[in-house]
Amino acid sequence: MNMTAGIESPGLVEVQPARRINGRLTLPGDKSISHRYAMLGALAEGESRFENFSTGADCASTLACLRALGASVRHDDNAVTVSGCAGKLHPPAAPLDCGNSGSTMRMLAGILAAQPFASELAGDESLSRRPMGRILEPLRRMGADIRAAEGDQPPLHITKPAAGLQGITYRLPIPSAQVK
């Protein structure tokens, strides 16, 4: 047990300067990057293997949605392997459950807006209260056909765009990697 400023602190570890350190440190997988890797892997042709993939619930929601869209997902050791659909995802049999992951919903909405089938993105009670307007506005301006509940809240209903999506110039009112 260490003493800090005369106060006993259980669980506190004091690190002293050392000339060298020997060992191995594995940092937890990055959630933001893991979402994106999985989605890109699902769109790619062939297999993509991602080591140190985030083990969090949000990334698990992304993987479950990608499975429902036809991608194959395997876990082994400290890696996730995604077998992609070569850009041609499959229509889901049921609404895609994003759990509590706003990242899953916002980024998948952009991918699904360009697919030739209808889909629905839903989430838990908390996610269903979060506004999605910051992604809906640019996607709609691109020609996406997306309906949402009152206040631009989930669930999101996405149908095949009549004329496909068109590129736009869009200035983000608030910086957001999810919108990009």
Side-chain angles (χ1 to χ4, degrees), residues 39-144:
M39 290 180 197
L40 289 172
L43 292 170
E45 184 174 330
E47 287 191 347
S48 301
R49 186 172 192 272
F50 307 112
E51 293 184 5
N52 202 27
F53 194 87
S54 174
T55 58
D58 284 2
C59 291
S61 292
T62 292
L63 293 175
C65 288
L66 296 175
R67 276 188 198 99
L69 291 165
S72 171
V73 178
R74 290 190 327 270
H75 296 268
D76 53 77
D77 300 324
N78 191 31
V80 169
T81 301
V82 178
S83 295
C85 299
K88 297 179 178 100
L89 299 174
H90 303 160
L96 298 168
D97 183 2
C98 299
N100 190 33
S101 178
S103 295
T104 301
M105 183 169 286
R106 290 183 180 104
M107 289 188 282
L108 268 183
I111 292 170
L112 293 171
Q115 296 298 311
F117 54 77
S119 55
E120 179 180 338
L121 291 166
D124 68 9
E125 186 178 327
S126 173
L127 181 57
S128 296
R129 291 190 305 264
R130 288 159 53 193
M132 296 290 147
R134 68 182 178 165
I135 61 147
L136 296 179
E137 180 187 346
L139 286 171
R140 287 172 176 156
R141 286 182 46 194
M142 294 173 71

Side-chain angles (χ1 to χ4, degrees), residues 140-160:
R140 287 172 176 156
R141 286 182 46 194
M142 294 173 71
D145 185 359
I146 303 177
R147 290 174 287 115
E150 187 176 332
D152 282 338
Q153 295 175 333
L156 304 181
H157 301 273
I158 305 168
T159 56
K160 177 183 173 185

